[in-house]
Amino acid sequence: MTTAPWQTGPPAFTQVAARRTLTRPTPAANPPAPAQPQAATVKIEWPQPVRDYVQRAFADKNDNHADDIEDSAIAAKLKAVITQAAEANQLNIIDWPSHPLPRELLRIERAALMSASKKRKSMDVDSTADASSPIPPWRVKNLTLADRITNLSPDKRQKKADQFRATAPPSKLSDLEKRRQRFALGNQGPNSPYVSSSRDDSPMPDANDGPCVGTCQELEKNYFRLTAPPKPETVRPLHILKQTLDLLIRKWKDEHNYGYICDQFKSLRQDLTVQHIKNDFTVRVYEAHARIALEKGDLGEYNQCQTQLRTLYKMKLRGSPGEFLAYRILYTIYTCNRQTMNDVLADLTSADKQYPAVKHALAVRASLATGNYHKFFRLFNESPNMGAYLMDMFVNRERVAALAAICRAYRPAVKISFLTEELAFVTDEQCAQFLCEHGAQHCFEEKPDGHLLSCQKASPIFETAKNGAYRVDIKGQI
């Protein structure tokens, strides 16, 4: 049978051979069973920090503890922690040496549930003492969602908590753990810098206590992550912190020891946080640290400072909001985050658009959006403030994209000197080195009037390089 020309697939019916005898066909005694595909065994290579974390978890399980946490609960919690990290591709990102052990996580969870249960029982007693015929909360009209959740039974609340932990992403679970740690420390509010520790014997502050007022007189102090409430004698007051900032700025200009300076700035920021200091000096500290981080290309530390500065600027404190708004636009261009860029553009005011650095950053964004690489590299040479440090982060990928466009438009070849000027290189040697680093060393042609790049040979090289040039993976990203 032939297939019609408009039929692109098999016919819509199954062909069956016509019977030519009345004898029934004899079925096969043992028809062969269909072959079952063998599942390929996938071997997972666990990172060494994860293996060490598992060993510490079981070592902690075997120690003598006063609590009654069962071994099965510890094993289940350990499996949940590692499974969630693996599914989120965070096995190599999580700081396993400092990550809480399963026993500690379970202890925090149970303490939080007991605290909530006691508080709820106390509220129930007070309400029944005043009412002669108490009405169940589910009978009350106009009850808010928060009230309904508060009046759930402990079993239902535990069931909902288990469902949340099973389905929530790791970022939400991390926020949940931080909230539980704050409850364990006396419910000190969202600005509390403390992290609970079962091995800490220092007294916890009362919920009504104010910020920790420092008395330390040392100008320099190393940064340590807090695992207990800070003591006043280890925290520097505001007038000492001002002297510390002046000292750090002088040392940075003289020594340029970034490891030391970054550690000291983080310690300075920590002392500001635990004392709840948010003023013009706080803005000055974060701006100084952000500029130094930009100079050294530490975008993770810069992004932490940038995030805090956005909050401080909303408080109408004095600083350089226009300068750092321009940095944020350039940083968003680097991360290729279109959603964030749309949010930034939507929040711009007329005054923001008139600030020179912001106008420059918006021009950079427009040149890339329209594919005008000629204008982009002119703007690269005219970057105000410290914008050039941010543009250095993505100028090479734009050079690759520009070379791909040039190789399509110019035939048969272009001069190296032309590429040097067009792509904002300093010298022809620097341009030639860039071309060789991307595999175009066999595309050079030597002519009496100078060296040329064969566009026909180089075009597939830079087209391929362009496809992989826009992958961004940094820590501290928003």
Side-chain angles (χ1 to χ4, degrees):
M1 184 184 68
T2 60
T3 302
W6 57 83
Q7 292 180 338
T8 58
F13 56 88
T14 302
Q15 299 184 24
V16 180
R19 293 181 56 182
R20 300 181 180 277
T21 178
L22 297 178
T23 306
R24 292 181 179 271
T26 304
N30 295 312
Q36 297 293 334
Q38 296 182 353
T41 303
V42 179
K43 182 178 181 182
I44 300 177
E45 294 294 338
W46 299 103
Q48 188 60 40
V50 178
R51 298 173 182 268
D52 297 340
Y53 179 79
V54 173
Q55 293 180 358
R56 293 198 310 276
F58 284 104
D60 182 66
K61 176 174 72 72
N62 294 328
D63 293 339
N64 293 325
H65 293 279
D67 53 42
D68 57 348
I69 298 178
E70 303 82 359
D71 294 350
S72 58
I74 295 176
K77 187 65 176 178
L78 176 63
K79 181 180 179 181
V81 170
I82 296 180
T83 301
Q84 291 167 1
E87 292 177 350
N89 293 326
Q90 292 187 339
L91 289 176
N92 295 316
I93 298 177
I94 295 177
D95 185 8
W96 293 106
S98 61
H99 196 72
L101 294 175
R103 180 181 292 275
E104 185 175 352
L105 294 174
L106 291 171
R107 188 185 297 112
I108 293 173
E109 292 176 3
R110 295 188 178 186
L113 290 175
M114 291 180 62
S115 176
S117 177
K118 291 180 179 179
K119 181 178 180 181
R120 184 172 60 258
K121 289 180 181 179
S122 176
M123 294 175 62
D124 292 342
V125 172
D126 294 340
S127 61
T128 54
D130 297 334
S132 58
S133 57
I135 302 175
W138 53 86
R139 298 292 186 185
V140 180
K141 295 183 179 180
N142 299 326
L143 202 61
T144 65
L145 177 62
D147 294 332
R148 296 179 187 276
I149 295 176
T150 303
N151 287 281
L152 287 175
S153 66
D155 293 338
K156 291 184 178 179
R157 179 177 287 102
Q158 180 63 37
K159 183 178 180 180
K160 287 185 174 293
D162 294 339
Q163 292 176 349
F164 174 79
R165 282 192 293 269
T167 59
S171 59
K172 295 295 184 182
L173 293 173
S174 177
D175 293 341
L176 180 63
E177 293 298 335
K178 291 178 181 178
R179 286 197 293 272
R180 286 172 178 161
Q181 289 167 0
R182 289 199 297 270
F183 287 136
L185 290 169
N187 194 18
Q188 296 173 356
N191 294 324
S192 174
Y194 312 130
V195 177
S196 64
S197 173
S198 59
R199 297 179 293 273
D200 180 62
D201 296 327
S202 58
M204 297 300 179
D206 187 78
N208 297 323
D209 287 349
C212 175
V213 180
T215 60
C216 178
Q217 301 298 308
E218 298 179 3
L219 294 182
E220 299 171 88
K221 189 185 74 171
N222 293 334
Y223 169 76
F224 294 101
R225 182 175 179 269
L226 291 177
T227 57
K231 299 179 181 179
E233 58 269 21
T234 64
V235 179
R236 294 162 293 185
L238 180 59
H239 71 280
I240 297 296
L241 294 177
K242 292 181 178 180
Q243 300 177 35
T244 298
L245 178 60
D246 295 336
L247 174 64
L248 295 180
I249 293 176
R250 289 198 304 270
K251 283 200 169 187
W252 173 247
K253 293 180 179 179
D254 296 338
E255 303 174 6
H256 267 68
N257 185 349
Y258 180 69
Y260 163 81
I261 290 295
C262 184
D263 181 80
Q264 292 295 317
F265 262 101
K266 293 178 71 172
S267 176
L268 195 159
R269 288 160 45 188
Q270 185 182 74
D271 286 353
L272 289 172
T273 301
V274 299
Q275 296 180 94
H276 299 184
I277 298 176
K278 293 183 179 180
N279 53 21
D280 296 344
F281 175 74
T282 309
V283 175
R284 185 185 170 199
V285 169
Y286 278 95
E287 287 182 344
H289 195 185
R291 293 188 182 102
I292 293 174
L294 277 181
E295 187 174 347
K296 297 302 294 183
D298 187 355
L299 291 187
E301 202 65 45
Y302 156 77
N303 193 42
Q304 293 182 21
C305 296
Q306 172 190 252
T307 303
Q308 292 297 324
L309 283 171
R310 290 176 57 198
T311 302
L312 294 171
Y313 289 146
K314 291 180 181 178
M315 299 170 63
K316 305 301 181 181
L317 299 174
R318 288 187 298 177
S320 304
E323 175 188 351
F324 280 86
L325 176 58
Y327 295 157
R328 188 179 183 219
I329 295 173
L330 295 176
Y331 176 83
T332 307
I333 293 174
Y334 167 65
T335 57
C336 303
N337 193 327
R338 295 184 179 180
Q339 181 61 49
T340 301
M341 179 61 75
N342 292 336
D343 294 340
V344 173
L345 297 178
D347 293 339
L348 287 177
T349 64
S350 299
D352 292 335
K353 296 177 182 179
Q354 297 304 316
Y355 189 79
V358 176
K359 291 177 66 175
H360 173 270
L362 291 175
V364 171
R365 179 253 170 196
S367 67
L368 295 178
T370 57
N372 190 343
Y373 61 82
H374 177 82
K375 183 178 180 180
F376 170 80
F377 290 108
R378 301 292 81 78
L379 293 169
F380 172 70
N381 289 327
E382 301 169 359
S383 300
N385 300 322
M386 303 187 71
Y389 289 102
L390 276 167
M391 295 188 71
D392 281 340
M393 299 294 174
F394 58 90
V395 67
N396 282 342
R397 80 181 182 202
E398 300 306 330
R399 282 171 171 156
V400 169
L403 281 167
I406 290 173
C407 289
R408 291 194 303 267
Y410 291 78
R411 292 297 173 96
V414 292
K415 291 183 178 181
I416 300 298
S417 58
F418 168 77
L419 296 178
T420 299
E421 181 179 359
E422 191 68 16
L423 304 181
F425 286 107
V426 178
T427 63
D428 291 351
E429 290 75 13
Q430 184 183 14
C431 178
Q433 179 65 28
F434 179 82
L435 297 173
C436 292
E437 289 174 354
H438 287 80
Q441 60 272 10
H442 63 281
C443 302
F444 292 106
E445 297 179 0
E446 187 173 356
K447 298 294 182 180
D449 57 345
H451 289 81
L452 305 177
L453 176 71
S454 173
C455 294
Q456 183 176 2
K457 295 180 180 179
S459 181
I461 296 175
F462 290 104
E463 287 291 346
T464 302
K466 176 186 174 182
N467 295 333
Y470 289 85
R471 298 172 183 172
V472 180
D473 184 14
I474 63 173
K475 294 182 178 181
Q477 190 170 311
I478 289 180

